Amino acid sequence: MRTSVAALIFAFAAPALAQQGGLKTQIVGSWDTVSVIQQRADGTKLDLFNGKVSGLSIYTADGHFSQVNFQTDRPKIASGNRQTATPDEALANYKQMYAIFGTYTVNESEGTYTLKITGSSFPNEVGNTQVRKFSINGDQMVFTNPAPASGGTGAVNTLKRAK
């Protein structure tokens, strides 16, 4: 009985405790994607998912991460089988999604985290290391990817803590 009461207390207290700690503690958890805005070389901005993003980023306490973003109105595959998608269907879907996973470390003093990418929907990133500036304010996290797979001079990602 005591164990279950302690688990229940921890389940309710953990999110509040995470928000009180430093960035290394605050980043841990699940985050829903709100927007991904690319800064182009000419200074203009582009919403990479046309205002229709659905995504989830997960950061574990032991230093693993996973990030997946999809445009919600991606075209269906006519055959119903992803292995037999036409080249046009496959390309349209590929351009409207992005996924990576690997490990991360946080640099509290610089307000950055460093990703070591183990796997990516963009194969050129596998094995790369990326440093991203980030901030957390309550249930919102904003990070900047200085070299996004989609090009440009950076992409600002806004997330909210998943509930």
Side-chain angles (χ1 to χ4, degrees), residues 87-109:
D88 287 342
E89 289 172 330
L91 182 60
N93 274 280
Y94 177 76
K95 287 183 173 183
Q96 296 173 353
M97 58 83 59
Y98 179 69
I100 59 174
F101 67 92
T103 59
Y104 78 98
T105 57
V106 173
N107 183 322
E108 294 268 353
S109 63

Side-chain angles (χ1 to χ4, degrees), residues 23-96:
L23 289 173
K24 186 174 183 178
T25 303
Q26 292 180 54
I27 196 172
V28 173
S30 300
W31 299 85
D32 293 321
T33 305
V34 174
S35 66
V36 182
I37 308 297
Q38 178 190 63
Q39 179 80 29
R40 294 175 161 175
D42 66 4
T44 60
K45 295 181 180 181
L46 172 67
D47 183 331
L48 291 176
F49 296 95
N50 297 315
K52 300 172 185 172
V53 67
S54 179
L56 181 67
S57 295
I58 299 170
Y59 298 88
T60 65
D62 66 349
H64 291 86
F65 81 94
S66 178
Q67 176 186 353
V68 180
N69 289 319
F70 293 96
Q71 187 164 314
T72 57
D73 62 352
R74 292 178 303 134
K76 302 273 188 203
I77 306 300
S79 69
N81 179 338
R82 69 185 183 99
Q83 296 296 320
T84 60
T86 67
D88 287 342
E89 289 172 330
L91 182 60
N93 274 280
Y94 177 76
K95 287 183 173 183
Q96 296 173 353

